[in-house]
Amino acid sequence: MSLTTESAVGHDELAVLKLLALEGGLEGDVKISCARLAERLDASNQTASRRLQRLESADLLERDTVSDGQWVAITDDGERALHAEYEDYRRIFETDAEVDLEGTVTSGMGEGRHYISLPGYNRQFEERLGYEPFPGTLNVDLREDSVRRRSAVSSLEPVPIDGWEDDDRTYGPAVCYPATVETSAGETYEDAHTIAPERTHHDEDQLEVIAPDKLRDELDLEDGDHVTVSVGDRE
Amino acid sequence: MSLTTESAVGHDELAVLKLLALEGGLEGDVKISCARLAERLDASNQTASRRLQRLESADLLERDTVSDGQWVAITDDGERALHAEYEDYRRIFETDAEVDLEGTVTSGMGEGRHYISLPGYNRQFEERLGYEPFPGTLNVDLREDSVRRRSAVSSLEPVPIDGWEDDDRTYGPAVCYPATVETSAGETYEDAHTIAPERTHHDEDQLEVIAPDKLRDELDLEDGDHVTVSVGDRE
DNA sequence: ATTACTAGTTTACGAGTAA
DNA sequence: TTTACTCGTAAACTAGTAA
């Protein structure tokens, strides 16, 4: 579900925000008058005025009132609220159980190798993915449009990897998705998985892939090579 | 039009419909109780009950109340309402100035050839498309998902073709979009355009393509061949 | 023109209750 | 337990007015 922090504002206000977005409110300032907005809402201009006020006080909208109307721009929070709705509708209508993400092979930080080998994770890989992964991840720098498309992955059903702890520290939970890696030469590797921390990732533009084999060798990949990772549904 | 009193439904009700769709209300019946719904809405179960009643009386939802809850299913009207929202959000976030439509080549009625050759249209083709089209259209039977995706074309900027009249009758306005046709063999033709009557078309599942050359010859196409038509923005 | 306040009315809400 | 009614209250609406 969408866990936006928007409960301050109702669905009526969100509908207004959507309307402004359709007029270009995401790209920059948009000129609007309460009267014109009221007409499109089939309500009084007082109501239109209040809707805009509430959106502003909820930090979803920035306003600049001038003599003959007002200039409005949707804030980052506003865009997030709209995007959460968008994701919901995608989940409803895009039943496609596959998301293709494109990018270039890059050198990982070398962290992956360490974590993957830890017995707390490794045991789960064997159980839930059906193989012991090669100790290392293939890191992919996602192309800009794929970074945006990546959010669609959340509508797929992940393979959960539980967090655990040893004497020294705790290790957080992660999520895997079945994935197929395809090179620009057309070679494919099918039994791979993406892996990412369960908590919102800082590196939305980086995709990490694990597999039974060393993908760099299997697919003859080097840094900068273009790959398509087809992220799919469980089963 | 249906004879039932189609009381308009507010955004709060639509949000409930969306929630039910996310639970699978489009695929079939979904079991729900007002108490559980109320919890997710952060409202009283009386409000939850009312929302469902209003959705039902607006014909967006079918209900079957049983002793321990109720089974609900979203109607076709309900799906349409949700899909309209979906299209709005797509228009907001999918700034991609291209829509890929897939289908199979089919025999046109032979009408296209007649209309395209008419001087009232032909003159505009030369001026606004930059070429004199081959006297005939390539007709494509769109695949089901492409028929649905076709609505996204309306967010692109069309090349308008004006209506005109001669002594006998009037000829309606039409809209063109730049298009690229790709065969399943990988061959492409880039300087084509889709063409359709400006007024809502009866044949939403049929796509007509014009080009300077005879596309059937240029791309070696026969009835039943699969093609992808990439409909783009002006320029 | 505008936006936004105040006042009066309507609508929506939640609590209690019956089926 | 359910759903859905009534009813008193709270919130949202429209009309009028000021800036």
Side-chain angles (χ1 to χ4, degrees):
Chain A
M1 265 283 88
S2 50
L3 292 173
T4 48
T5 58
E6 49 111 61
S7 42
V9 94
H11 294 109
D12 288 334
E13 281 76 25
L14 205 64
V16 172
L17 198 66
K18 188 192 78 175
L19 202 148
L20 295 173
L22 284 166
E23 304 256 319
L26 289 175
E27 282 77 32
D29 288 358
V30 164
K31 182 90 170 285
I32 191 106
S33 82
C34 287
R36 202 162 71 83
L37 180 60
E39 200 177 339
R40 297 198 56 174
L41 296 176
D42 197 31
S44 67
N45 46 1
Q46 292 87 339
T47 293
S49 175
R50 256 182 302 104
R51 297 260 165 93
L52 293 174
Q53 288 176 50
R54 279 179 215 164
L55 284 169
E56 186 181 30
S57 64
D59 281 330
L60 304 181
L61 198 68
E62 279 175 355
R63 296 198 299 157
D64 184 19
T65 60
V66 291
S67 59
D68 63 336
Q70 52 195 292
W71 291 90
V72 300
I74 296 174
T75 65
D76 287 350
D77 279 355
E79 182 169 353
R80 263 188 287 276
L82 288 171
H83 203 267
E85 288 294 305
Y86 174 49
E87 286 300 331
D88 282 344
Y89 283 104
R90 289 185 60 153
R91 242 167 262 148
I92 292 170
F93 289 107
E94 296 180 22
T95 49
D96 231 23
E98 215 175 72
V99 181
D100 288 348
L101 302 176
E102 296 182 58
T104 53
V105 173
T106 184
S107 294
M109 316 297 172
E111 297 174 347
R113 153 171 285 156
H114 174 60
Y115 286 110
I116 287 174
S117 309
L118 294 172
Y121 288 130
N122 207 272
R123 188 168 21 81
Q124 296 184 60
F125 292 145
E126 285 229 42
E127 281 176 12
R128 301 183 186 171
L129 305 185
Y131 59 86
E132 181 180 357
F134 170 82
T137 62
L138 180 74
N139 287 49
V140 178
D141 250 332
L142 292 179
R143 212 172 59 186
E144 194 187 322
D145 62 326
S146 289
V147 175
R148 278 185 269 117
R149 263 242 292 286
R150 184 176 190 168
S151 53
V153 169
S154 62
S155 65
L156 303 174
E157 220 186 308
V159 180
I161 304 293
D162 302 323
W164 53 285
E165 53 187 291
D166 63 9
D167 298 340
D168 298 329
R169 55 162 288 194
T170 61
Y171 297 85
V175 283
C176 290
Y177 294 93
T180 299
V181 183
E182 181 175 1
T183 68
S184 50
E187 283 184 300
T188 59
Y189 188 99
E190 296 196 334
D191 303 317
H193 286 82
T194 66
I195 183 162
E198 191 182 85
R199 293 305 224 153
T200 43
H201 352 87
H202 345 82
D203 296 320
E204 280 282 323
D205 55 346
Q206 283 258 337
L207 189 68
E208 292 195 76
V209 184
I210 60 175
D213 306 297
K214 185 175 183 180
L215 288 169
R216 278 181 183 258
D217 289 352
E218 290 291 321
L219 294 172
D220 199 26
L221 290 169
E222 292 178 15
D223 278 10
D225 285 356
H226 182 269
V227 288
T228 301
V229 182
S230 193
V231 184
D233 218 334
R234 183 157 57 180
E235 282 327 81
Chain B
M1 273 297 151
S2 67
L3 296 171
T4 50
T5 49
E6 285 182 13
S7 45
V9 95
H11 295 109
D12 288 333
E13 281 76 25
L14 205 64
V16 171
L17 197 66
K18 189 192 78 175
L19 202 148
L20 295 173
L22 284 165
E23 305 255 318
L26 288 175
E27 282 78 33
D29 288 358
V30 165
K31 181 91 171 285
I32 191 103
S33 82
C34 287
R36 202 163 70 83
L37 180 60
E39 200 176 340
R40 297 195 57 176
L41 296 176
D42 196 32
S44 67
N45 47 1
Q46 292 89 336
T47 294
S49 175
R50 259 194 303 263
R51 297 262 164 91
L52 293 174
Q53 288 176 53
R54 280 179 216 164
L55 284 170
E56 186 182 31
S57 64
D59 282 329
L60 303 182
L61 200 67
E62 279 174 357
R63 296 198 299 158
D64 184 20
T65 61
V66 291
S67 60
D68 65 335
Q70 53 195 293
W71 291 91
V72 300
I74 295 174
T75 65
D76 288 349
D77 280 356
E79 182 168 353
R80 263 189 286 278
L82 289 171
H83 204 268
E85 287 294 305
Y86 174 50
E87 286 300 332
D88 280 345
Y89 283 104
R90 286 186 60 153
R91 241 166 262 145
I92 292 170
F93 289 106
E94 295 180 21
T95 49
D96 236 20
E98 214 176 72
V99 181
D100 288 348
L101 302 177
E102 296 182 57
T104 53
V105 173
T106 184
S107 294
M109 315 298 171
E111 298 174 348
R113 152 171 286 155
H114 174 61
Y115 287 109
I116 287 174
S117 308
L118 294 172
Y121 288 129
N122 207 272
R123 189 169 20 82
Q124 296 185 59
F125 291 145
E126 286 227 43
E127 283 176 12
R128 302 183 186 172
L129 305 184
Y131 59 85
E132 182 182 355
F134 171 81
T137 62
L138 181 74
N139 287 47
V140 179
D141 249 332
L142 292 179
R143 214 172 57 187
E144 195 187 320
D145 62 326
S146 289
V147 175
R148 278 186 270 113
R149 263 245 289 288
R150 185 177 190 167
S151 54
V153 169
S154 61
S155 65
L156 303 174
E157 220 185 308
V159 180
I161 303 294
D162 302 323
W164 54 285
E165 53 187 292
D166 63 8
D167 298 338
D168 298 328
R169 54 162 288 193
T170 61
Y171 296 86
V175 283
C176 289
Y177 293 93
T180 299
V181 183
E182 181 175 359
T183 69
S184 51
E187 283 184 301
T188 59
Y189 188 100
E190 296 195 336
D191 304 316
H193 286 82
T194 66
I195 183 163
E198 191 183 85
R199 294 306 223 149
T200 44
H201 352 85
H202 345 83
D203 295 321
E204 279 282 322
D205 56 346
Q206 282 259 337
L207 189 68
E208 292 194 75
V209 184
I210 60 176
D213 306 296
K214 185 174 184 182
L215 288 169
R216 279 183 183 258
D217 290 353
E218 289 290 321
L219 294 171
D220 199 26
L221 290 170
E222 292 177 13
D223 279 8
D225 285 356
H226 183 269
V227 289
T228 301
V229 181
S230 193
V231 183
D233 217 334
R234 183 157 58 181
E235 285 320 84

